[in-house]
Amino acid sequence: MMRTLYFQKDSKRGIKGTYNWLLEELGELEEALEGENKKGAEREFADVMAWLASLANITGVDLEKAAIEKYDSKCPKCRQSPCQCDF
Amino acid sequence: MMRTLYFQKDSKRGIKGTYNWLLEELGELEEALEGENKKGAEREFADVMAWLASLANITGVDLEKAAIEKYDSKCPKCRQSPCQCDF
């Protein structure tokens, strides 16, 4: 969906510009969380998710596949569920 | 899945600590993208996705629902697909 909506614009903006926008959205999420604004936080979570997908699209990464390959219902470090890592 | 794997640890770490870890993962993603390391970038995308889900879990936000509510196959600003916004 993000590809359909924004791929052309995302491509023109490029990786660095899109990454910077993602970083900015993360700052807005932090503010919303600090303000304990639940509805605002939901919108910022949506934006971070969206910009992460945009960045994945222009770098040729399948975000869902990448996530599921690393997090396959077990912790990638200790291979347990729930995670038993010592951190 | 992230809730099953990490919710207990995420809750103990708290919102600020989890946010900071997410920010750190975003820095690692930037490095992987700058190094043009595709496989490394995929792993970092997975980590950013994972920590974003962790943060959503401990703040009581349904990440998928939040994303789909704002990005419902149309641009939330111009309501067009593809986006026709002037930026």
Side-chain angles (χ1 to χ4, degrees):
Chain A
M1 189 226 302
M2 288 300 295
R3 180 177 289 274
T4 305
L5 283 176
Y6 297 112
F7 186 71
Q8 205 179 357
K9 277 175 193 279
D10 290 339
S11 297
K12 279 189 197 158
R13 190 186 316 104
I15 292 176
K16 186 70 192 160
T18 303
Y19 177 86
N20 287 343
W21 208 310
L22 171 58
L23 201 59
E24 198 175 304
E25 292 296 343
L26 209 67
E28 291 179 13
L29 174 58
E30 185 180 25
E31 278 175 39
L33 290 174
E34 282 172 354
E36 292 181 22
N37 174 355
K38 175 90 187 279
K39 201 67 209 171
E42 282 177 357
R43 283 191 294 265
E44 298 306 333
F45 269 112
D47 286 339
V48 171
M49 189 66 241
W51 283 94
L52 185 65
S54 278
L55 188 62
N57 281 336
I58 60 174
T59 53
V61 167
D62 182 325
L63 189 56
E64 185 174 10
K65 189 163 161 275
I68 289 175
E69 258 181 28
K70 180 153 185 184
Y71 294 86
D72 58 352
S73 297
K74 289 181 183 167
C75 170
K77 287 194 180 126
C78 69
R79 307 301 299 149
Q80 304 288 314
S81 172
C83 166
Q84 305 293 332
C85 287
D86 194 21
F87 67 86
Chain B
M1 189 225 303
M2 288 300 295
R3 179 177 290 275
T4 304
L5 284 177
Y6 298 112
F7 185 71
Q8 205 179 358
K9 276 175 194 281
D10 290 339
S11 297
K12 279 189 197 159
R13 189 185 317 104
I15 292 176
K16 187 69 192 161
T18 302
Y19 178 86
N20 286 343
W21 208 311
L22 170 58
L23 201 59
E24 197 176 306
E25 292 297 342
L26 209 67
E28 292 180 13
L29 174 58
E30 185 180 25
E31 278 176 38
L33 290 175
E34 282 173 352
E36 293 182 18
N37 174 356
K38 175 91 187 278
K39 201 66 209 170
E42 283 177 356
R43 284 192 293 265
E44 298 306 333
F45 269 112
D47 286 339
V48 172
M49 190 65 241
W51 283 94
L52 185 64
S54 278
L55 187 62
N57 282 336
I58 60 174
T59 53
V61 167
D62 182 325
L63 189 56
E64 185 175 10
K65 188 162 163 276
I68 290 174
E69 257 181 27
K70 181 154 184 183
Y71 294 86
D72 58 353
S73 298
K74 289 181 183 167
C75 170
K77 287 195 181 128
C78 69
R79 308 299 300 150
Q80 305 289 311
S81 173
C83 165
Q84 305 294 329
C85 288
D86 194 21
F87 66 85

